[in-house]
Amino acid sequence: MLKIIVPTMMLIPLTWLSKPSMIWINTTAYSMLISLIGLTYLNQFTDNNLNFSLLFFTDSLSAPLLVLTTWLLPLMLMASQHHLSKETLTRKKLYITMLVTLQLLLIMTFTATELIMFYILFEATLMPTLIIITRWGNQTERLNAGLYFLFYTLVGSLPLLIALLWLQSNLGTLNLLVIQYWTQPLLSSWSNTLLWLACMMAFMVKMPLYGLHLWLPKAHVEAPIAGSMVLAAVLLKLGGYGMMRITILLNPLTDFMAYPFMMLSLWGMIMTSSICLRQTDLKSLIAYSSVSHMALVIVAVLIQSPWSYMGATALMIAHGLTSSMLFCLANSNYERIHSRTMILARGLQTLLPLMAAWWLLASLTNLALPPTINLVGELFVVMASFSWSNITIILMGINITITALYSLYMLITTQRGKYTHHVKNIKPSFTRENSLMTLHLLPLLLLSLNPKVILGPIY
Amino acid sequence: MNLFTSSILVTLFMLTLPIMMANTSMYINKLYPRYVKTTISYAFMISLIPTMMFLHLGQDTMISNWHWITIQTMKLSLSFKFDYFSMIFVPVALFVTWSIMEFSIWYMHSDPYINRFFKYLLLFLITMMILVTANNMFQLFIGWEGVGIMSFLLIGWWYGRTDANTAALQAILYNRIGDVGFIMAMAWFLTNLNTWDLQQIFMANHENLNIPLIGLLLAATGKSAQFGLHPWLPSAMEGPTPVSALLHSSTMVVAGVFLLIRFHPLMEHNKTLQTITLCLGAITTLFTAICALTQNDIKKIVAFSTSSQLGLMIVTIGINQPYLAFLHICTHAFFKAMLFMCSGSIIHSLNDEQDIRKMGGLFKALPFTTTSLIVGSLALTGMPFLTGFYSKDLIIETANTSYTNAWALLMTLVATSMTAAYSTRIMFFTLLGQPRFSPIITINENDPHLINSIKRLLFGSIFAGFLISYNITPTTTPQMTMPHYLKMMALIVTILGFILALELNLMMQNLKFKYPSGLFKFSNMLGYFPTIIHRLMPKTNLLMGQKSASTLLDMTWMEKILPKSISHFQMKSSIAVSNQKGLIKLYFMSFMLTLTLSLLTLSFHG
């Protein structure tokens, strides 16, 4: 594990000691190399997990998320270049340091063996994110967004700390590898219900569950591009990952406790999708689409069948790459039009044809076109929920339809039609941007060839 | 035996070659469209080898290679099925596509992105091939969604036009509703049968197959534009004419019917579903035929006639005759694609004029197009010994002698008669009479690309039905004997439609234009369907999205309940418990008092 953590730490001195002209290239190249090291963990040759030390391990659930995290850092760096071009050198370096710190914490979160350590790191990721949002966001609302982000997450997760402490004193360990053998069945009682809620709510807020999602559109919209990318791609997945890890402690109570949350998610994904249909703000649309996709993951995790777990894992990875790519595209529009309003950036296909191709592919993956991994994820979740209850197919079906609609609505509004006059003298798309989109899309397409890598534990 | 599989794979592989070539300098070349066209023609010729072997030997083949994934006990692999349906449909589709590609070279020659257009058409063809040859539901779904997305891209080809974009989105919306049915069927098969392989599904012995079959029917309704989900097909005419000829007449829209044919072994013994299918098909064929009667846009008439024929195919499935429905798919492809190409030729010659009221007298100016249009229309109406006759007549006969729902069959007969009526109307308005178009237009149909492509389909429209029905082995026992009046019924209603329409047109042509009647408006406004459904439903949904989901819940209640109320109560309570009241004067006063008092006490102390 150190072979990822130490190089990631060394990215910080690399940033500060690089020549001013080289900071982006150096960090991007080295972080890309680091992500290549992580790829080996996708090969889970044992059925259980790979132990690195007493502190760190990966298994087939965390390895894809780990790779996603390391893969995303170079992409974030590439995406932020233009956004920071007017900042001073020190601030650029500080920004990169924040991103690197975040990546470091995320890597350790995904590989932590102890639940308390997981908790501490989980909380620690808030800090760099908060700084990125509130320091480098574009508008004054970023402060409000930062507050929402911090307090929603904290309020959700503090009960988890108490619950973990209680579990520690009760079970004697919080080691994830041991705990699954030592855990006692959780019978239905008021105190156990509270324990269940305490354990799950932290992740439900992070996911976010419909009703607790207010922080997400605000944070996504106000964050700078790298912040939006990492929030959508990785931070939301912490919730799903945590839920999958902690549900082993909470059986069989989950079967009973899941109902209200399932209902809320199933209903919420339709509500958030229909909000997407009415959005005028591009980033807000993408953010709401994240909420709607994550509702699927919540449903899948709560169903707790092998198919649903596979679907949830695949969907998390697929959505991570897709929504991150959509944010990048939105940002490339923003850098040209200087507005997030969709109607101001119409008809761009005429001016930026290659960018239109990326838009098309991103929208198609967002609406889960077969045989992309988005489809694999969504299909498995739909299968799992259908076998849980046949009626859910109606809600799922409505959601599938609306998802297709708003994805293509977004595509048509931004790319099709006649272009407006004020966009006539925009810059052409840079190689940096095109390669950024390629690097998002390549994993998506390649993983479709062998989705088994990201399906998590195949039972 | 080796020749069989290898030549099939060569056919399929060849189609991907121009796509791969799109990365090379070939794609910048002006000859790329011809290259694509030639590739498809070669693919067609090679595909004839396995088809002839199939016709001769009658062997089914299944190729299963490249294992994709195994989940629990379910294995998914790349698997092709070459049975009766795919073996006959592949050459037909390739033949039609070949002609359409050649036609597009002429029709799209002034388009700056003609190469991309050809790439899209070819991609569409590939997804269609995936659809028809798929041997498991996942692969079928890839093709199924693929044709949907390609139709979105191709309908929205002229992306500067709002109408084209709306039509493209509309097509996706209706298709997507159908896809939900498909996914539901997939989910049901997975949960109950644990397989997506077609053979294994067909072997299943489940007593109640209603849920998956309803799902499949919904899927077919969406893709094949059956009643309820039909409005996207006429709207899709916003796309270029080659697209209408390829996607919306001969290939993509029959995918729904094809799906039902594929899953027919499940439907065979399910009377409930058959009745539903029959009624759905009958309503569609009648309703769209009624709509076709009063349309003025030449492409819309042909589109509605396609919809009507699709309804007829669904009726055929409803009366438990999938092989006949399949035969109609094959024959229909020839003349319907040709009808679209003829209308394309007319539209192009008249400088993008689509209104049949502004045509007329074209039989002199466009003799070849006129010939083909008439042959195509006659074939469509089922004129004996043209292509359409071999399937349509059989369908009507079988329907007449079957003992199912008589009302549905009556509706089908009426629709058949109307087919003749609107065909007459097209011919009457565009070809006969005096020219009503602008005189400065130079009409020219003498382009080899146009002539050859239409000519090929013209031969197809005349002979293909005979060739196909002569060569295929009969799969179901045909009805051998029936009363005279039943035997002649199809022909009689068609001739009746012809004569009525001709008389009406001749009689009404010089009459004063009256304020249109309610019936006319019903037909002309497409049964008020788009007005009602396309206004009301999106408006309610969007309003709900805006008002209740976004404004009421997200921006008001959720803000108020959690963050706003918490901060509000915090503020209130902190004010309440604090001993600082902000009374500055009082504080200063007490401060001054203390100060003066202490000064006084200090000064008087000593």
Side-chain angles (χ1 to χ4, degrees):
Chain A
M1 202 57 225
L2 287 179
K3 69 182 169 190
I4 294 192
I5 293 176
V6 173
T8 312
M9 276 198 282
M10 295 312 284
L11 273 174
I12 298 174
L14 176 78
T15 317
W16 287 92
L17 298 177
S18 293
K19 277 189 290 183
S21 58
M22 295 296 281
I23 47 168
W24 293 112
I25 301 172
N26 277 348
T27 45
T28 311
Y30 284 105
S31 55
M32 188 60 96
L33 285 179
I34 293 170
S35 75
L36 293 184
I37 305 174
L39 287 179
T40 50
Y41 298 134
L42 285 178
N43 179 23
Q44 295 278 336
F45 46 84
T46 63
D47 276 349
N48 280 324
N49 47 51
L50 302 170
N51 285 328
F52 304 119
S53 64
L54 285 176
L55 291 178
F56 299 115
F57 83 110
T58 65
D59 61 359
S60 46
L61 174 62
S62 60
L65 290 164
L66 178 71
V67 173
L68 179 69
T69 313
T70 51
W71 183 254
L72 215 70
L73 180 62
L75 303 190
M76 288 194 289
L77 291 171
M78 284 166 82
S80 309
Q81 282 186 24
H82 183 270
H83 163 66
L84 287 181
S85 58
K86 299 222 167 47
E87 301 265 343
T88 59
L89 187 63
T90 328
R91 285 185 190 161
K92 278 185 196 169
K93 288 181 173 171
L94 199 62
Y95 183 82
I96 298 175
T97 314
M98 281 302 142
L99 293 183
V100 172
T101 323
L102 184 56
Q103 146 131 329
L104 190 64
L105 293 170
L106 282 169
I107 291 171
M108 294 203 286
T109 318
F110 281 127
T111 50
T113 318
E114 276 282 323
L115 269 176
I116 282 288
M117 183 164 142
F118 170 77
Y119 177 82
I120 293 171
L121 291 161
F122 177 78
E123 293 296 309
T125 53
L126 287 182
M127 279 184 297
T129 323
L130 188 71
I131 295 173
I132 291 172
I133 294 176
T134 49
R135 173 60 192 83
W136 279 280
N138 290 316
Q139 303 174 51
T140 350
E141 285 85 8
R142 68 180 189 270
L143 299 172
N144 191 22
L147 271 182
Y148 269 62
F149 170 65
L150 190 67
F151 278 97
Y152 263 87
T153 326
L154 275 184
V155 170
S157 60
L158 282 176
L160 176 63
L161 178 64
I162 299 161
L164 287 181
L165 291 177
W166 184 83
L167 282 170
Q168 161 78 24
S169 64
N170 220 29
L171 291 174
T173 178
L174 283 177
N175 192 317
L176 277 171
L177 304 176
V178 183
I179 211 168
Q180 47 191 326
Y181 304 111
W182 286 17
T183 177
Q184 302 290 324
L186 218 54
L187 298 173
S188 180
S189 71
W190 277 106
S191 52
N192 281 346
T193 308
L194 278 180
L195 177 69
W196 192 93
L197 284 176
C199 287
M200 290 300 258
M201 282 324 272
F203 305 119
M204 293 277 192
V205 173
K206 197 84 184 176
M207 272 307 267
L209 181 73
Y210 180 70
L212 303 173
H213 67 278
L214 277 194
W215 65 270
L216 184 132
K218 288 184 197 294
H220 274 56
V221 170
E222 297 305 328
I225 171 64
S228 307
M229 283 168 75
V230 75
L231 267 172
V234 190
L235 285 174
L236 301 188
K237 277 68 194 176
L238 275 180
Y241 174 77
M243 271 163 84
M244 285 198 218
R245 285 282 185 230
I246 208 143
T247 36
I248 48 169
L249 288 173
L250 303 174
N251 278 325
L253 194 57
T254 314
D255 298 339
F256 165 70
M257 286 297 290
Y259 286 101
F261 298 99
M262 296 275 275
M263 290 305 111
L264 213 51
S265 298
L266 285 169
W267 178 240
M269 68 189 179
I270 294 174
M271 291 305 259
T272 41
S273 308
S274 45
I275 290 175
C276 282
L277 280 177
R278 290 306 292 256
Q279 280 302 322
T280 48
D281 180 336
L282 191 52
K283 273 181 109 173
S284 178
L285 197 163
I286 305 169
Y288 272 109
S289 109
S290 294
V291 183
S292 139
H293 279 101
M294 285 299 108
L296 279 174
V297 177
I298 296 182
V299 170
V301 175
L302 290 178
I303 290 174
Q304 295 198 63
S305 70
W307 277 84
S308 76
Y309 268 24
M310 282 186 268
T313 325
L315 194 58
M316 285 201 286
I317 303 295
H319 175 261
L321 288 164
T322 311
S323 66
S324 170
M325 180 172 181
L326 282 173
F327 274 119
C328 286
L329 287 165
N331 183 57
S332 77
N333 269 8
Y334 181 80
E335 282 171 4
R336 290 177 172 76
I337 317 288
H338 305 293
S339 167
R340 296 190 309 260
T341 311
M342 265 196 287
I343 211 152
L344 291 177
R346 278 171 301 169
L348 288 182
Q349 181 168 11
T350 323
L351 302 171
L352 308 171
L354 185 55
M355 208 45 110
W358 302 129
W359 269 103
L360 174 69
L361 289 171
S363 307
L364 291 186
T365 46
N366 195 44
L367 64 80
L369 184 80
T372 54
I373 45 172
N374 301 59
L375 177 92
V376 174
E378 262 182 48
L379 204 57
F380 285 9
V381 176
V382 174
M383 304 292 142
S385 78
F386 182 79
S387 69
W388 180 69
S389 153
N390 285 0
I391 303 165
T392 53
I393 189 77
I394 299 171
L395 296 167
M396 288 284 183
I398 295 173
N399 185 45
I400 289 172
T401 314
I402 303 182
T403 307
L405 270 189
Y406 71 72
S407 304
L408 293 173
Y409 156 69
M410 178 172 69
L411 175 77
I412 285 182
T413 318
T414 54
Q415 303 303 312
R416 303 290 176 83
K418 289 192 180 63
Y419 60 87
T420 42
H421 288 295
H422 63 272
V423 297
K424 263 182 189 161
N425 51 357
I426 57 172
K427 288 168 294 202
S429 42
F430 302 116
T431 313
R432 171 178 65 84
E433 286 166 337
N434 288 327
S435 49
L436 176 63
M437 305 310 161
T438 319
L439 287 176
H440 274 110
L441 209 58
L442 266 184
L444 273 175
L445 296 180
L446 289 178
L447 281 172
S448 322
L449 291 180
N450 187 11
K452 207 165 185 170
V453 174
I454 52 151
L455 283 184
I458 298 200
Y459 298 90
Chain B
M1 194 60 90
N2 273 331
L3 192 60
F4 189 75
T5 49
S6 53
S7 52
I8 294 169
L9 286 183
V10 166
T11 309
L12 295 181
F13 177 71
M14 269 176 80
L15 294 178
T16 62
L17 275 179
I19 302 283
M20 291 187 229
M21 286 297 165
N23 295 321
T24 63
S25 59
M26 181 73 107
Y27 189 55
I28 314 164
N29 202 320
K30 259 192 170 164
L31 289 175
Y32 185 75
R34 280 151 219 258
Y35 172 62
V36 175
K37 183 210 88 184
T38 317
T39 313
I40 292 176
S41 69
Y42 288 164
F44 162 68
M45 283 159 201
I46 294 176
S47 77
L48 281 179
I49 302 172
T51 305
M52 282 191 227
M53 288 172 77
F54 173 79
L55 291 176
H56 182 64
L57 299 168
Q59 55 173 14
D60 274 12
T61 309
M62 200 192 84
I63 306 175
S64 189
N65 41 24
W66 194 57
H67 168 236
W68 188 53
I69 194 171
T70 301
I71 302 158
Q72 296 183 315
T73 50
M74 199 184 69
K75 182 181 164 217
L76 285 175
S77 57
L78 193 69
S79 170
F80 295 98
K81 186 184 176 77
F82 297 102
D83 63 340
Y84 178 85
F85 300 120
S86 53
M87 267 343 300
I88 294 179
F89 190 77
V90 166
V92 171
L94 283 173
F95 181 79
V96 173
T97 316
W98 171 24
S99 295
I100 292 169
M101 289 285 184
E102 193 164 352
F103 174 75
S104 322
I105 295 178
W106 172 76
Y107 193 83
M108 303 295 286
H109 66 92
S110 59
D111 196 300
Y113 298 112
I114 183 169
N115 289 358
R116 192 197 295 165
F117 184 75
F118 272 78
K119 192 166 74 175
Y120 281 6
L121 280 185
L122 190 62
L123 264 178
F124 165 78
L125 183 69
I126 290 171
T127 48
M128 192 68 205
M129 292 291 126
I130 294 174
L131 196 156
V132 292
T133 56
N135 193 31
N136 63 50
M137 284 196 82
F138 190 81
Q139 207 175 330
L140 191 61
F141 195 51
I142 294 176
W144 185 264
E145 284 285 284
V147 291
I149 290 300
M150 289 321 291
S151 100
F152 167 80
L153 288 175
L154 285 165
I155 296 170
W157 175 253
W158 286 309
Y159 57 81
R161 282 167 37 183
T162 321
D163 280 354
N165 288 326
T166 321
L169 199 59
Q170 196 178 333
I172 282 290
L173 170 59
Y174 281 110
N175 274 311
R176 201 71 179 177
I177 294 172
D179 293 346
V180 175
F182 197 102
I183 292 177
M184 183 167 95
M186 280 173 92
W188 193 91
F189 287 132
L190 184 71
T191 14
N192 290 288
L193 309 176
N194 189 35
T195 181
W196 280 339
D197 267 354
L198 294 184
Q199 286 88 357
Q200 295 178 23
I201 290 176
F202 297 155
M203 275 194 294
N205 208 351
H206 204 275
E207 66 270 19
N208 188 1
L209 289 162
N210 279 344
I211 294 177
L213 284 177
I214 284 177
L216 292 173
L217 187 62
L218 180 63
T221 310
K223 194 65 85 183
S224 289
Q226 296 300 300
F227 185 76
L229 301 180
H230 64 278
W232 71 268
L233 186 57
S235 305
M237 294 302 123
E238 285 296 329
T241 306
V243 174
S244 315
L246 182 58
L247 275 70
H248 306 125
S249 71
S250 48
T251 45
M252 174 194 162
V253 286
V254 298
V257 185
F258 193 87
L259 182 78
L260 289 183
I261 293 172
R262 263 269 184 268
F263 282 89
H264 187 261
L266 298 182
M267 214 182 201
E268 226 162 17
H269 306 296
N270 195 326
K271 290 292 168 205
T272 326
L273 251 293
Q274 273 177 22
T275 313
I276 297 175
T277 316
L278 177 69
C279 293
L280 179 72
I283 293 171
T284 313
T285 186
L286 183 66
F287 178 79
T288 47
I290 290 175
C291 290
L293 284 178
T294 54
Q295 292 307 304
N296 291 322
D297 185 328
I298 183 168
K299 276 178 77 181
K300 285 230 166 111
I301 303 178
V302 185
F304 273 117
S305 104
T306 308
S307 216
S308 177
Q309 294 303 309
L310 290 170
L312 186 65
M313 294 172 202
I314 298 279
V315 165
T316 321
I317 291 173
I319 56 174
N320 214 352
Q321 294 287 346
Y323 287 91
L324 275 186
F326 179 71
L327 187 62
H328 198 52
I329 286 181
C330 293
T331 53
H332 177 253
F334 288 96
F335 53 77
K336 193 48 70 66
M338 190 179 70
L339 281 178
F340 268 116
M341 281 155 66
C342 290
S343 46
S345 160
I346 294 171
I347 291 166
H348 203 81
S349 292
L350 296 185
N351 212 359
D352 296 336
E353 181 55 66
Q354 304 201 357
D355 196 330
I356 55 170
R357 288 169 300 184
K358 297 184 187 167
M359 296 176 181
L362 283 172
F363 71 102
K364 283 221 170 100
L366 297 170
F368 180 71
T369 311
T370 306
T371 317
S372 335
L373 188 68
I374 290 175
V375 172
S377 299
L378 289 181
L380 170 70
T381 50
M383 176 62 77
F385 312 118
L386 293 180
T387 291
F389 170 76
Y390 292 94
S391 54
K392 198 169 177 181
D393 197 57
L394 220 50
I395 291 173
I396 304 287
E397 274 172 15
T398 322
N400 281 341
T401 49
S402 77
Y403 48 85
T404 41
N405 195 331
W407 274 107
L409 300 180
L410 189 65
M411 280 159 85
T412 318
L413 273 184
V414 175
T416 314
S417 175
M418 285 181 179
T419 312
Y422 59 70
S423 299
T424 317
R425 193 156 168 272
I426 292 188
M427 289 190 271
F428 188 86
F429 273 88
T430 54
L431 307 176
L432 308 178
Q434 303 299 322
R436 293 182 294 275
F437 48 83
S438 143
I440 42 170
I441 295 172
T442 50
I443 295 178
N444 183 13
E445 59 165 4
N446 293 318
D447 190 291
H449 286 303
L450 175 66
I451 298 271
N452 285 340
S453 57
I454 296 189
K455 201 190 284 166
R456 216 172 292 129
L457 283 182
L458 183 65
F459 288 132
S461 303
I462 298 173
F463 299 114
F466 171 71
L467 287 176
I468 296 175
S469 54
Y470 181 75
N471 282 313
I472 53 175
T473 42
T475 38
T476 41
T477 326
Q479 191 76 26
M480 286 304 179
T481 57
M482 61 190 85
H484 262 172
Y485 61 92
L486 282 188
K487 179 80 186 160
M488 302 304 284
M489 186 66 95
L491 205 57
I492 290 169
V493 290
T494 307
I495 292 173
L496 189 73
F498 263 127
I499 294 172
L500 269 179
L502 200 64
E503 284 299 323
L504 276 176
N505 281 329
L506 280 173
M507 191 176 77
M508 307 298 275
Q509 199 186 14
N510 295 322
L511 289 184
K512 188 166 154 278
F513 188 70
K514 218 174 71 197
Y515 195 72
S517 65
L519 278 175
F520 178 86
K521 278 193 242 168
F522 177 82
S523 168
N524 190 259
M525 300 296 288
L526 317 181
Y528 305 113
F529 197 91
T531 332
I532 299 167
I533 304 291
H534 289 184
R535 268 277 151 212
L536 198 66
M537 303 248 308
K539 198 172 172 226
T540 1
N541 289 339
L542 290 176
L543 217 61
M544 191 206 81
Q546 171 77 18
K547 292 240 161 102
S548 64
S550 183
T551 321
L552 181 71
L553 280 175
D554 258 47
M555 291 161 83
T556 314
W557 273 108
M558 287 183 194
E559 286 268 3
K560 283 268 190 257
I561 288 175
L562 279 172
K564 288 273 167 63
S565 67
I566 289 174
S567 78
H568 181 76
F569 285 122
Q570 290 288 336
M571 197 122 73
K572 282 281 175 204
S573 53
S574 67
I575 289 171
V577 298
S578 154
N579 46 14
Q580 296 281 331
K581 300 286 183 194
L583 305 169
I584 299 290
K585 278 185 186 169
L586 194 67
Y587 300 154
F588 275 125
M589 177 79 110
S590 58
F591 187 62
M592 199 186 72
L593 274 177
T594 328
L595 214 64
T596 36
L597 276 179
S598 54
L599 274 175
L600 281 173
T601 45
L602 276 177
S603 54
F604 289 105
H605 183 68

